[in-house]
Amino acid sequence: LAVLMTAPRLLGFGVAFAIFWFGDKKSYKDQIGFLTEKHLGFLYLSAVVFSAMVQWLNAFPMFYKSQLNIKGNLRANMTFFKMNTKEAIMGKSMPFVVMEEDGLVGEYNRANRSLFHFNENMGGVLACLLLSGFVFPLPVFICAVIFATGRVIHQVGYAVGYGKHAPGFMLAVLTTATLEGLVTVAAASSFGAF
């Protein structure tokens, strides 16, 4: 969990700092000057904290899921259900009820699971998108296009089958980390770090 929480952020901060350092630095510094003047650095850091919290809340249940030793696609099944009975039926305990994965119904379920995955993660992305866009408009637009493309690849790939969503997932994770990094760079620069 620690690697999941830190590695993408370190990579995103590196990409963001490269954008800041090698991009239109004068324009970025002008916008950051406004942040400094209005004391908005902590607002920008708040978006990073919020975005990290969103990731934590989504990742933490995986700690428990990994211990269940249940076969099948656990990522598509966020909640497990059981029959509401005190006794076993016909002498057997009842199995957990999970989403159907096969056929057209499985494709439908996985496509909708991708939609829910977006809903689970979009809060931090949206906050960082809006704040970083004030300072870094073109790089943020590029991130938005890559993020949107990644989410579409995620959904279409997941509908086809588990694992096919990975390229879209990686695009979304990397752009999210870059947006967080841009917000962090803007905040740090508003405090005079660079």
Side-chain angles (χ1 to χ4, degrees), residues 6 23 37 53 77 91 111 117 135-136 185 192:
T6 55
E37 179 185 322
M53 178 268 310
N77 290 286
H117 186 267
V135 177
F136 306 99
V185 165

Side-chain angles (χ1 to χ4, degrees), residues 64-72 74 80 96:
Y64 298 102
K65 244 186 191 183
S66 66
Q67 298 175 46
L68 291 176
N69 295 322
I70 296 175
K71 294 179 183 177
L74 288 181
F80 295 94
F96 290 114

Side-chain angles (χ1 to χ4, degrees), residues 20 24 27-29 31-32 35 44 130-140 182 186:
F20 170 77
D24 188 0
S27 173
Y28 303 153
K29 290 293 280 184
Q31 294 297 86
I32 290 168
L35 302 182
Y44 274 61
L130 294 173
L131 291 176
S132 61
F134 176 75
V135 177
F136 306 99
L138 179 59
V140 169
L182 289 169

Side-chain angles (χ1 to χ4, degrees), residues 107-172:
E107 291 171 351
Y108 173 80
N109 283 343
R110 287 188 304 275
N112 274 309
R113 176 64 189 108
S114 179
L115 172 62
F116 278 98
H117 186 267
F118 167 74
N119 291 338
E120 294 163 358
N121 290 283
M122 67 79 108
V125 173
L126 185 59
C128 290
L129 186 83
L130 294 173
L131 291 176
S132 61
F134 176 75
V135 177
F136 306 99
L138 179 59
V140 169
F141 171 71
I142 293 168
C143 284
V145 169
I146 294 170
F147 180 83
T149 301
R151 292 308 314 177
V152 169
I153 291 169
H154 184 282
Q155 188 173 46
V156 172
Y158 205 14
V160 171
Y162 181 74
K164 305 287 187 197
H165 67 297
F169 177 77
M170 290 309 301
L171 288 174

